[in-house]
């Protein structure tokens, strides 16, 4: 019986994940900046907003969250923690399994 597949999360380097997150945050920051400029100077190009000021405030708030995520991602790129926890092996009754495969119970 083969064990179920697991995600190789230990093989993915954290700076790579942080770089992906930083690029996504940077693009979101630029997009929210562009939307806030459009809502400030030319709101007639963006239709469907009942309250343009509230939409602009929401775009600026989202831009702030993208900036915060970008700063944290950059921090993790330059200062990755290399601490890895060891997996504790099950001892005694914790690692006991009753059934490791299919049973013939109920088949005729």
């Amino acid at each position: 019986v083969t064990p179920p597949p697991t995600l190789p999360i230990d093989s993915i380097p954290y700076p790579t994940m942080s770089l992906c997150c930083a690029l996504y945050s940077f693009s979101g920051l630029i997009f929210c900046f562009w939307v806030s400029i459009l809502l400030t100077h030319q709101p007639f190009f963006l239709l469907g907003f009942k309250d343009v000021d509230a939409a602009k405030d929401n775009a600026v708030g989202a831009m702030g969250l993208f900036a915060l995520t970008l700063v944290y991602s950059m921090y993790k790129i330059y200062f990755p923690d290399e601490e890895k926890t060891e997996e504790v092996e099950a001892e005694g009754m914790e690692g006991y399994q009753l059934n490791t495969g299919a049973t013939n119970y109920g088949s005729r």
Side-chain angles (χ1 to χ4, degrees), residues 14-75:
Y14 286 109
T16 304
M17 290 191 305
S18 296
L19 180 65
C20 177
C21 189
L23 291 174
Y24 178 75
S25 298
F26 181 72
S27 64
L29 182 85
I30 296 299
F31 177 73
C32 287
F33 180 70
W34 180 251
V35 168
S36 66
I37 286 177
L38 279 179
L39 287 172
T40 302
H41 296 292
Q42 297 174 336
F44 50 86
F45 282 127
L46 301 174
L47 301 175
F49 292 110
K50 293 180 182 177
D51 188 8
V52 175
D53 291 330
K56 184 181 73 167
D57 291 341
N58 289 337
V60 170
M63 186 172 57
L65 289 177
F66 276 121
L68 181 68
T69 306
L70 178 65
V71 167
Y72 183 70
S73 299
M74 295 301 288
Y75 172 76

Side-chain angles (χ1 to χ4, degrees), residues 67-100:
L68 181 68
T69 306
L70 178 65
V71 167
Y72 183 70
S73 299
M74 295 301 288
Y75 172 76
K76 281 300 187 182
I77 288 172
Y78 288 114
F79 303 108
D81 16 331
E82 295 296 327
E83 297 178 23
K84 293 191 176 185
T85 58
E86 290 185 22
E87 190 171 320
V88 178
E89 294 292 325
E91 294 180 15
M93 295 301 285
E94 290 178 4
Y96 181 73
Q97 286 184 320
L98 290 175
N99 185 9
T100 58

